[in-house]
Amino acid sequence: MQLAREDLLTAYRTMALIRVFEERVQREMSSGDIPGSTHLYAGQEASAVGISMHLGDMDRVASTHRGHGHSIAKGCDVDGMMAEIFARSTGICHGKGGSMHIADLDKGMLGANGIVGGAAPIACGAALAARMTGSGAVAVAYSGDGGFNQGTMAESLNLARVWDLPVIFAIEDNGFAEATASSWAVAGDIVARGAAYGIPAERVDGTDVFAVHEAAGRAVARGRAGDGPTLLHIMVPRYLGHFSGDSDTYRTPDEKRAMRTDRDCLKVFRDKVLPAGLLEMDQLDAIDAEVAALVDGSVVAARAAPRPDPATVATDVYVSYP
Amino acid sequence: MQLAREDLLTAYRTMALIRVFEERVQREMSSGDIPGSTHLYAGQEASAVGISMHLGDMDRVASTHRGHGHSIAKGCDVDGMMAEIFARSTGICHGKGGSMHIADLDKGMLGANGIVGGAAPIACGAALAARMTGSGAVAVAYSGDGGFNQGTMAESLNLARVWDLPVIFAIEDNGFAEATASSWAVAGDIVARGAAYGIPAERVDGTDVFAVHEAAGRAVARGRAGDGPTLLHIMVPRYLGHFSGDSDTYRTPDEKRAMRTDRDCLKVFRDKVLPAGLLEMDQLDAIDAEVAALVDGSVVAARAAPRPDPATVATDVYVSYP
Amino acid sequence: MPRKSFRQALNEGLRLEMRRDPRIFVMGEDVAGGKGASGEQDAWGGAFGVTKGLLAEFGPERVRDTPITESAFVGAAAGAAMAGMRPVVEIMFVDFMGVCFDQIFNQAAKFRYMFGGKAVTPMVLRATFGAGTGSASQHSQALYPLFTHIPGLKVVVPSTPYDAKGLLIEAIRDDDPVIFLEHKAMYDDVGDVPDGAYVVPFGEAAVLRDGGDVTIVAFGRMVGRAMEAAARLARDGIEATVVDPRTTSPLDIDTIIETLEETGRLVIVDEAYPRCGMAADIAGIIAEEAFGLLKAPIRKVTPPHAPVPYAPELEAAYIPSVERIEAAVRGVVGWSR
Amino acid sequence: MPRKSFRQALNEGLRLEMRRDPRIFVMGEDVAGGKGASGEQDAWGGAFGVTKGLLAEFGPERVRDTPITESAFVGAAAGAAMAGMRPVVEIMFVDFMGVCFDQIFNQAAKFRYMFGGKAVTPMVLRATFGAGTGSASQHSQALYPLFTHIPGLKVVVPSTPYDAKGLLIEAIRDDDPVIFLEHKAMYDDVGDVPDGAYVVPFGEAAVLRDGGDVTIVAFGRMVGRAMEAAARLARDGIEATVVDPRTTSPLDIDTIIETLEETGRLVIVDEAYPRCGMAADIAGIIAEEAFGLLKAPIRKVTPPHAPVPYAPELEAAYIPSVERIEAAVRGVVGWSR
Ligand SMILES: Cc1ncc(C[n+]2csc(CCOP(=O)(O)OP(=O)(O)O)c2C)c(N)n1
Ligand SMILES: Cc1ncc(C[n+]2csc(CCOP(=O)(O)OP(=O)(O)O)c2C)c(N)n1
Ligand SMILES: [Mg+2]
Ligand SMILES: [Mg+2]
């Protein structure tokens, strides 16, 4: 808990913002105004936030289908994201990408990804670029527990070790891949699987932003020092269904209730900083109000924003195409 | 060394046959009568032989680009193989497959494979069939050290463990993938990588057919008993270049010489059985002569065999196609 | 005849075949759902509910949830098929075939040929395809031209619940690897579907409408749009024949040519990308084999050479519309040198 | 002008560009060779020796051997490209693209579109293709129709050492992902190649021969066979125009149409599979856009719908031959309704 006051406020603010954003998207989905489906990050906020507090715009992250939280933590514009999800021309991808393809290269956000396991090679490439240019930047490859089984993950672990790439494999284990439990689908042990490649690997409580922040700090330092990759196995709860329309019957109501009461990163944070007198209750309440207003505003703006011009349907396929 | 006399003779005979076959193919390649290129198994014989001694026709193996040894050990017809390599219509694949696609389904040989890492999923499928039909059969997935890095391998390890498939992952580590050393390309440790999936894994001296036979025995027993997969990391020398035309300059002459003197499975075998009085020298010499004649005969027959009829170029694409 | 949805028709086809032959099993991500979880089992029945209920009847050995490792389980299907089983694999979205394409196109598709005619690889690979649900570039592709390109694969694209059931049963009984594609926007479409097992043979086009002025060939969801365009055109006295080939490989080119003998004009409507796509393929075959019958240029109605967009307005501009089909037909009907 | 082989021309192109721009680097399996070994370094220079010597000049940071993990390093190329580098990746045989196809077609190809035009992904993916060397079904395919199908990719198939160098330099300077395919039976082909850097632009066909009777379009190794057929036909007074589009995406259809204005007859020769292949693609475009110019059916000269066989006799029957091209031309020249 060696975080400065400013950092503490940022951590809480970002986690709260993600939470409100996701729960609002879930609500707006039922309005029918958002196309397709979304995979929401509610419950997992401390992971992206604890990691991203170490990162600047030069550092890059490659994300998953569940990418809103990673994007917000990496500094993507919330209005642009909401407008994108609402499929507006003011969206961060001008309405072409949607929830599963949020990206902002200037912020080092290399994209959410609709392909499970798709991100890790891309993050390795960003890390390679950092290494070759000597920029000192690192890259983060996010994956879920289910995605960790993909061959691309194993290949990326090997490549990252062989080339000593400054990449952090952030494996967010929310216990499920869709309706399938990681306890069944993931053979062996994720930390051991990382370590077997000679990669420093550790398990982290993903409801505790301080724990994530510390582990990520070691990983980022390793990367910046030229010591190569790290794997973090981050244990998180997934509050909502796999996707917005998931009836989520494979989890018992008790299980879902318990996770909200016992594994809430916002509560965990409050319980640490308030008794210790690091922050005041009303500061946090003010943040809650602020992010609620921010998200409200983003929805209002998105609804008011113009829809994409059908004439743009085939633009931006190439930089140039004679 | 609890092998019966018959088994000892079979082990030696099969190893010697593979050795002679491969060195002959290498020689015949320079005659220009064999199309394409071949990847030869010379030096690695004890691996396929030690494993296959436990297998019957019901058991299935999925092989690699370096598949001649696996095929011979699994009981494929040597004449048919040689004719195939010589691209004759009498070949085991009627001249359509060649060295890299030798297969004999009746013998449980599911094919050599031109795609590195391609075999493991296929072996998992054969093992699944065995499991579902309760046949008690096992499947072997061969791979090299380089191939072990492929994503398909990692995915197969996971699937085999999750489904408790009777599959043996036989990772033949000959120190090189083409011109690239496994000491560089394979991060961490192969045994640890298997074990991290909860799969029993052990390192085996692949120049000692007895050691391979014992380890494979444990693995096969595990599979037949319903206890799932095993990984064997089998250390072998590769006597010849990666492929028939490889100038093999990345290895020093000393290195290549030393491997022939110090790591020859035929010598290791003789040195074990002769002093112990398990077999007589002239028995082994007779086998040498016999397999030499067999391979000679296969070359003569292949050269004399008819070439495929061009009219068959587009047959056997489908079982049926209206 | 009983009315059933696409989804029900497929479920019934699977169920009937699994009852008939114990070698048939299904596998894929969440084809049951709830594996290892404390709550409901068979919670999903696949992402689109097609396999729902099979777990209860056939049990977990024959209804197998998988980890997210498409290469491993698609390859395992190929291996199991060579070893005597008859797997039916679900790849949730055809867009995911990129992570396991080798096992499809270099392994399963080629075993028989490479091994000189000895291998038999009876497997069905089911996947959803298609745009129209706001699922964006990586969850909306058609991609059957890629499979059609590859010798050794058969490729099925049904357009009605009746065909879906009959073609799926045929696919399961077929001894070659079959790619079976289901349009994700059509699962709730309802049609006449008999209760028992029946087959629709591969390589036999359905002629859905007869008209002397033009032949419209369409696949999957585009068949309905072609029919609608034909109905509108008929009001102006333009009579269209509408042909649904139902399988792209094998392709029933003979039926298309037969209709051209009367119509002499061809419009092909397809949701796949235009370059090296199905529309080009058929146009290319006809320009070679039935050139003498053609009275006008062949028109292809396809999306632009672009990925599938997210926003509904863009998607609507992307997918061939009834209006575009109509305009294409009017173009060829009015064409003269 | 100096004479150089295809291999030398490519090597020179790489070398000149790497000198020019430090962001360019090459990677792939054994693009140097000998990594971690006790013997010679740069022992291979790639499986076909194209990158030989680059290690000595540019060092191991810019000439990177890789483990056998195509998904990881092709995806890494895409990630590095988005992060400002300009990678040139070697995938030994194009047949291996099945193990990393997702990173090519769903990732690199779609970043720009999905992200609303913000991403720039300048990467070149080099691979050998083609039959004729007894390498059988998994090491002999053409497959460029698969890449051509995918929006977001550019696809290059050079037929001469001159073009190979100029197109490779163009590919490296291009800001989009480019698939660059080299025929494995042509590396020793020799031709005129200037020493310095020059570019051959994408989407500009080469017209290699002018003749009024027929247009022959061919790609890669088939260009030489088309030229030979044309020379033979000329002896009988049949004059062919031969067009090599050089890039399949973008495709210079205008040049083909211009030649048809004179010839009115079209033969397309391609080594790729026939269904949804390049020959069908071009035939389909022409049947739509230049139907009025056609005086005869379009003929496609391709392999059968079958994998590539191993035996030389079968391979010879498989690959389009000069004789088959000649016969196709005679067929269209003599055609009348
Ligand atoms: C290659 C591929 N296979 C399957 C899917 C379908 N899919 C989307 S998310 C998902 C589950 C991913 O689970 P996990 O990695 O644990 O991430 P989580 O959803 O729990 O965040 C699956 C199977 C996909 N998008 N891509
Ligand atoms: C997917 C794929 N990538 C690359 C190759 C080219 N290749 C053929 S063999 C080989 C080396 C394999 O090394 P290893 O697995 O150690 O087997 P070994 O050759 O040593 O027996 C490579 C890279 C291939 N055939 N398939
Ligand atoms: Mg998960
Ligand atoms: Mg090796």
Side-chain angles (χ1 to χ4, degrees), chain C residues 109-321:
Chain C
K110 295 187 170 65
F111 286 153
R112 186 164 181 82
Y113 190 82
M114 295 190 299
F115 302 164
K118 287 175 302 192
V120 182
T121 313
M123 61 188 272
V124 181
L125 206 153
R126 294 179 43 244
T128 56
F129 79 98
T133 63
S135 301
S137 302
Q138 292 176 336
H139 285 74
S140 303
Q141 299 168 90
L143 299 184
Y144 38 83
L146 302 185
F147 300 113
T148 305
H149 185 60
I150 302 298
L153 299 177
K154 292 173 177 167
V155 186
V156 184
V157 188
S159 71
T160 67
Y162 179 92
D163 284 352
K165 179 173 167 183
L167 289 164
L168 181 57
I169 292 177
E170 177 77 359
I172 292 171
R173 296 182 185 178
D174 195 279
D175 278 334
D176 292 307
V178 178
I179 312 293
F180 191 95
L181 297 173
E182 306 160 10
H183 200 295
K184 67 177 75 66
M186 294 173 77
Y187 281 118
D188 293 320
D189 286 9
V190 170
D192 290 341
V193 179
D195 287 333
Y198 61 94
V199 298
V200 172
F202 289 174
E204 288 192 14
V207 181
L208 300 169
R209 196 177 191 294
D210 252 315
D213 298 317
V214 64
T215 298
I216 310 179
V217 175
F219 295 90
R221 187 158 174 245
M222 295 303 104
V223 174
R225 295 193 176 191
M227 290 296 282
E228 200 180 321
R232 288 199 204 172
L233 289 158
R235 283 179 224 142
D236 291 346
I238 300 172
E239 290 298 337
T241 289
V242 176
V243 180
D244 170 8
R246 300 194 284 203
T247 58
T248 68
S249 179
L251 178 71
D252 179 2
I253 202 74
D254 293 345
T255 295
I256 299 174
I257 292 177
E258 268 164 42
T259 71
L260 287 174
E261 274 163 18
E262 199 190 338
T263 63
R265 296 181 162 83
L266 179 59
V267 170
I268 312 163
V269 189
D270 193 36
E271 203 188 308
Y273 300 129
R275 299 294 316 282
C276 298
M278 278 319 302
D281 188 58
I282 292 175
I285 298 174
I286 293 300
E288 176 156 16
E289 296 185 15
F291 178 76
L293 301 176
L294 290 176
K295 298 181 201 147
I298 300 170
R299 284 276 175 257
K300 307 195 290 296
V301 184
T302 69
H305 183 63
V308 184
Y310 169 64
E313 296 74 19
L314 297 177
E315 237 188 345
Y318 184 89
I319 307 167
S321 62

Side-chain angles (χ1 to χ4, degrees), chain B residues 226-239:
Chain B
D227 292 337
T230 301
L231 182 146
L232 302 177
H233 180 199
I234 305 169
M235 313 304 290
V236 290
R238 192 194 77 203
Y239 281 180

